[in-house]
Structure formats: structure tokens, C-alpha cells
Amino acid sequence: MRFFVVCPGGLEVPLAQELAEIAQRPDSKALGAWVMDPTPTSPTGGIGLAGPLSAAMALNLHSRIASRVLLQMAQAPYRQEEDLYKLASGLAWEDWFTSKQTLRVDVTAHRSPLKSLNFATLKIKDAIVDRLRDVTGDRPSIDTAFPDVRVQAHLTATQVTIYLDTSGEALFKRGWRDEKGDAPLKENLAAGILSITGWKSGETLFDPMCGSGTFLIEAAQKTLAIPPGAIRAGMYGDDAKPSRLAYRPLVTSVHGFGFQRLKPFNEVAEQKRWAALKEGSLNEILAQRKQYPSAESLRISGGDINEKLVAMFKGNWQRAQLPEQPVVRQIDALASRPPVNSDSGVMLLNPPYGERLVIKGGRGQDRNAQESYDESDEPENRFELNLETGRQSAKRSSRESLKKLQAQEEQDPKFVEFLRQFGQHLKEAFGGWNIFVLTADMALPGQLRIKESKRTPLFNGPLECRLFKFEMHAKRSVANDSEKE
């Protein structure tokens, strides 16, 4: 079987490394042979691989960086919409799902000659519906909100590829984020950034602007070997109930994964493999719990000036099945200090920008309150976004560039001053640390007055960002200087 594992733009290399690790797991090897495509040298939106059908189960359960796992059904050349219909109608959809299940079809394109992607989507949908009606005598209903089955098609200039989505809801929806702060960070992007930093379990990790705790929760779950899909897989029994402040319904074991609603995965042999994957993960969790019995033993901590965000972080931490309460304080980032007995470590933060600006002000009130976007509805990449070409794309890019320039000109001067002070604070208090900052502000190093040692282009939803790395040099003590003299 051929799969395409989708990820946020810029995370292809970390994803390739992660997929190789998943393929080397003993329970993954037991499923059959895996063959990875070469790691791309430019953004592709994901990684291709070949493997057994059961690989979809392992990928959805274990991948922290993937957005979706797509199973390739067909690939062929095309010239017009009728070619799409013929290809889709020739596939045995009845072997995968029934006419009683609801369906959603999405089409994306890059340099496609077709004039309307909506019409292309309609032709593929009609082909699937007509096929099931001819074979079963009944046709499935369309549900664009909560479908049982999702079909994706991607068009290049000459080729069409049709996929079945084995994930269902996007994989960044882990099931533990019940609440959010402004401009929330997608969980799989946070996991990918952790990989880029080189941070390892057991090393000190600190986030002085932790918000609702995405970076720290992802790190803690990795340390404790908790699969990102654990909640959706039903590994914890009863699912957590959402609070009154929930900004979107929790994804639970009721939603599960897309593959659980496909016929081949409900055969006895596949069900046994699925049970074995979950059992193996539970054994790993138990072993790691012994090594890291408390929140403090994880060496993962954070702070935030906003009292409400700190409370959200604590709730998310508990829903993520992590031990005790997180090591977190309500504190201004300018007053933060390295954790006890940590002369060095990794600081990772996503500071306020644009939609998210919470700086000094009592209990952390938002001085620049705006309506924040809901990340759950944002397109992830080329498989969830209809890509324009030619003149449309040029106009859109010009508009976006203008908005960025305007945003930079209108930046809150108080925040600019805060960044200057924070840069000085890093120099004075965090010598010997590696600092990683995710931001949409390309001028951030200058505002911090610190020279970056590396910058990595990334996308947080639709927002183009950079991950800046700053290597803070430890200050030489006065005693050492005297000895040299």
C-alpha cells in the first residue's frame, strides 16, 4: 500500500526522522515491511511511504508531527473533469465503506489546467456516489462537517491522485486541549519544533510564555511515551468531559480515527493488530512512569503572566494524562529565572504577536484584544487548501505582503519595548542556554538585540513564521577574570 503522510510546511525532515523511528518499533515491524521515500530537500507538505495496510494504524497512533495519513487509491494522468470521473468510478469503493455511511470529498491542486476545483470535486463525488448506487442500490449522503469517510484528491498539471483519509479529524486534535489562549499553536507543529530544537527527554525545558501549555504538554507526553493518539484510541477508558470554556468539542474515542470506519480495518486480523499496538504502547507508558514518577522529575516547566492561561494549562495537563500538576507559575517573563539546579537547558517559546498580545497588566489582561482565529478550521497544507496559480496567486501574495508590512508599522510600541527588555533579561539570566523562539515577526532578533545562530521557516496555520535559535553564552565570573590577570 502507498501512503502520503501530511505535515505542516517546513517539518518534512523531522517527520521523515519520526516515521523511520515508528517503522523500527517492534510492534510496527510485526505488521510487515516499510519503505520510506527519500527525504525531500524542499517543502512538499509530507512524506510518502509504502507499507502494509496496518501501517495506517501505527502512523495515526504514534506520529506526533503528522496532520493526516492518506492511503493512495489511484493515480493517473488527466486532461479534463471527465477523466476524474472515469478514474474514481472505476475504484471498488464498496470494498471500503457502505452506502449507509456519510461522505466528504476534497480536491486540492497545484498548476492544474482545470478552471474550477469545485466542479472537479463534484465530478469525483458523483463518481463515488454513482458507483455505490450501481453496486448496492443505494447512495451515501454527503456530510461536510462530520463525515464517516473522507476522500481527498490532488491535481498536478498532468496527474491526479485519489486518497482515502485514514485519520478522520486532523491528527493535531489530540483530545486534551479543552481550552485555548489567543493564537493557539497546533499540537503537531509544537511536536515538530521540539524535534528541531534537539531537546531530549530528561533535559531541562522551560517556556516563560507557555500560554495553555502546548510545547510543554507535547514534551511531557513524549517523555512518558504517551502516544499522541492515545485518547482517540480509547487507551484511557472514559474520555474527559469538556468544560464550559471549551472552544471546540473534544475529539474523543467516539470520533477515533478514520480507518476505524473502513471495512478492511474491521476484519478480525486487523482488529488484533490494533489491539496489539495499543497494548505495546500501554506497556511503554508504565515503564516510563517508573522513571518519571512526578511532574518535577520531568524537568519541564513554564510560566505565564496571564492567570487564565495558567489555569487552562493545568486543565490541559490533566486531560493529557500527565502526572500531578504541571510545574508552572503565574509570572512576568521579565521576572522569570532558570529552574533550580539548571545551569543550562532549552528555552522554547511562542511570544505574543499580532493576534496574541498579552503583556504587563495586573492579571494578564489583553491590552490589544482582538478576535482570534480558530485554528481547527485553518487549512494545514496542500491537501487541505485549494492552491491558486498564476495571476490569482500573485494578487493574493501581494495583499498578504502588504498586510505584513502594515502590521509591522502598527506594532504596539509597548511590545517593542518589552522585547528589548526581554532580550536583555535573557543575556543576564539565561547564560549557557539555547533559546528557540517561534514568531511571525521576522525582525525579532533585532528587537531582542541578540544575533540568531539559526532560523527555520515554518507555518503556524496560515501564518508564515520563523523559528529563531539564540545561543546564550555563559557570563564569565569576576573571579575567573582575576585569575587570568
Side-chain angles (χ1 to χ4, degrees):
M1 294 287 182
R2 284 286 305 170
F3 296 95
F4 189 81
V5 184
V6 184
C7 71
L11 293 182
E12 290 83 1
V13 172
L15 176 64
Q17 295 169 347
E18 180 189 58
L19 296 182
E21 292 173 1
I22 294 174
Q24 290 302 311
R25 292 175 55 90
D27 49 7
S28 296
K29 287 184 175 181
L31 302 176
W34 299 43
V35 180
M36 307 291 170
D37 288 358
T39 303
T41 56
S42 60
T44 58
I47 301 290
L49 63 91
L53 182 65
S54 309
M57 300 188 291
L59 292 169
N60 279 289
L61 179 62
H62 290 297
S63 180
R64 302 180 190 278
I65 302 174
S67 304
R68 296 184 181 276
V69 179
L70 305 179
L71 171 62
Q72 182 174 313
M73 302 296 291
Q75 186 176 67
Y78 78 99
R79 296 184 64 183
Q80 56 189 359
E81 290 84 357
E82 194 60 34
D83 296 329
L84 307 181
Y85 182 93
K86 290 179 180 177
L87 179 63
S89 63
L91 298 174
W93 299 107
E94 66 276 8
D95 293 342
W96 294 90
F97 56 93
T98 73
S99 56
K100 302 297 182 183
Q101 293 175 284
T102 55
L103 174 69
R104 170 173 172 163
V105 178
D106 292 283
V107 176
T108 60
H110 184 61
R111 301 185 183 279
S112 172
L114 301 183
K115 295 181 179 180
S116 170
L117 291 186
N118 288 334
F119 187 51
T121 303
L122 181 64
K123 294 298 289 184
I124 294 175
K125 184 267 295 182
D126 286 346
I128 298 172
V129 168
D130 291 347
R131 167 80 185 207
L132 287 173
R133 183 187 57 196
D134 293 343
V135 174
T136 69
D138 199 4
R139 54 180 290 158
S141 298
I142 302 299
D143 184 346
T144 58
F146 303 104
D148 295 319
V149 178
R150 296 171 183 256
V151 174
Q152 302 238 16
H154 183 67
L155 308 176
T156 64
T158 59
Q159 294 276 326
V160 54
T161 310
I162 298 177
Y163 302 92
L164 263 176
D165 184 349
T166 69
S167 299
E169 291 287 332
L171 294 179
F172 72 81
K173 299 180 182 180
R174 313 289 205 218
W176 54 256
R177 188 199 286 275
D178 188 22
E179 302 153 320
K180 65 153 188 173
D182 292 336
L185 184 70
K186 288 186 178 180
E187 291 82 338
N188 62 328
L189 176 58
I193 290 172
L194 276 167
S195 178
I196 292 174
T197 67
W199 172 83
K200 302 296 182 184
S201 298
E203 295 178 353
T204 301
L205 179 68
F206 178 62
D207 183 350
M209 304 180 197
C210 64
S212 55
T214 308
F215 281 132
L216 303 182
I217 290 174
E218 286 295 315
Q221 285 203 325
K222 182 176 181 179
T223 299
L224 293 172
I226 298 175
I231 294 176
R232 291 171 61 167
M235 290 173 56
Y236 295 114
D238 294 336
D239 292 307
K241 294 182 180 179
S243 73
R244 295 179 181 179
L245 298 177
Y247 83 104
R248 68 182 180 211
L250 282 173
V251 177
T252 68
S253 59
V254 174
H255 303 86
F257 300 101
F259 69 79
Q260 293 174 291
R261 294 180 286 277
L262 299 175
K263 287 182 179 181
F265 291 96
N266 284 293
E267 295 179 359
V268 174
E270 294 299 331
Q271 288 293 302
K272 288 182 178 179
R273 294 185 182 104
W274 179 228
L277 285 170
K278 293 190 288 184
E279 183 179 359
S281 294
L282 285 171
N283 291 334
E284 287 183 350
I285 293 172
L286 292 174
Q288 290 300 101
R289 289 277 187 179
K290 294 178 181 178
Q291 185 176 354
Y292 300 97
S294 65
E296 189 172 352
S297 67
L298 295 170
R299 302 186 69 182
I300 294 170
S301 60
D304 201 284
I305 194 173
N306 191 312
E307 182 180 48
K308 292 182 179 178
L309 290 180
V310 171
M312 289 179 186
F313 175 24
K314 291 179 179 178
N316 289 336
W317 179 276
Q318 292 181 323
R319 278 183 293 274
Q321 304 297 319
L322 297 171
E324 304 172 334
Q325 288 284 348
V327 180
V328 62
R329 296 174 61 197
Q330 182 193 351
I331 188 171
D332 190 333
L334 296 178
S336 62
R337 290 291 184 271
V340 178
N341 299 323
S342 297
D343 296 330
S344 64
V346 173
M347 179 190 290
L348 176 58
L349 64 149
N350 176 28
Y353 52 84
E355 299 90 344
R356 178 173 173 256
L357 180 57
V358 182
I359 56 179
K360 290 182 179 180
R363 292 175 176 267
Q365 297 299 316
D366 191 343
R367 291 187 178 181
N368 190 31
Q370 301 180 29
E371 185 71 22
S372 62
Y373 66 87
D374 184 344
E375 66 172 350
S376 64
D377 295 328
E378 292 295 348
E380 178 68 44
N381 44 56
R382 68 185 181 117
F383 284 98
E384 298 180 50
L385 172 66
N386 288 341
L387 301 176
E388 312 100 326
T389 57
R391 186 172 299 176
Q392 280 185 322
S393 179
K395 288 183 178 179
R396 179 176 56 80
S397 298
S398 298
R399 288 195 301 269
E400 291 175 350
S401 298
L402 179 60
K403 287 180 181 179
K404 288 181 181 179
L405 290 174
Q406 291 172 340
Q408 291 174 2
E409 292 174 356
E410 297 170 3
Q411 193 168 35
D412 190 332
K414 294 180 181 179
F415 184 54
V416 174
E417 174 60 17
F418 166 78
L419 290 176
R420 185 194 68 77
Q421 294 180 27
F422 185 61
Q424 185 62 33
H425 177 65
L426 292 177
K427 296 174 185 177
E428 294 175 353
F430 288 89
W433 282 63
N434 285 324
I435 314 291
F436 292 86
V437 184
L438 177 69
T439 179
D441 184 359
M442 308 304 170
L444 181 79
Q447 293 169 339
L448 291 174
R449 300 184 181 181
I450 306 175
K451 175 63 177 177
E452 78 276 15
S453 59
K454 185 178 181 180
R455 59 171 64 196
T456 304
L458 295 169
F459 282 85
N460 182 11
L463 200 62
E464 184 177 0
C465 301
R466 292 294 183 274
L467 179 67
F468 291 106
K469 178 182 180 181
F470 304 96
E471 297 178 5
M472 309 305 295
H473 299 292
K475 283 191 173 182
R476 293 182 300 177
S477 66
V478 177
N480 289 339
D481 290 341
S482 299
E483 291 175 3
K484 290 181 180 179
E485 294 176 0

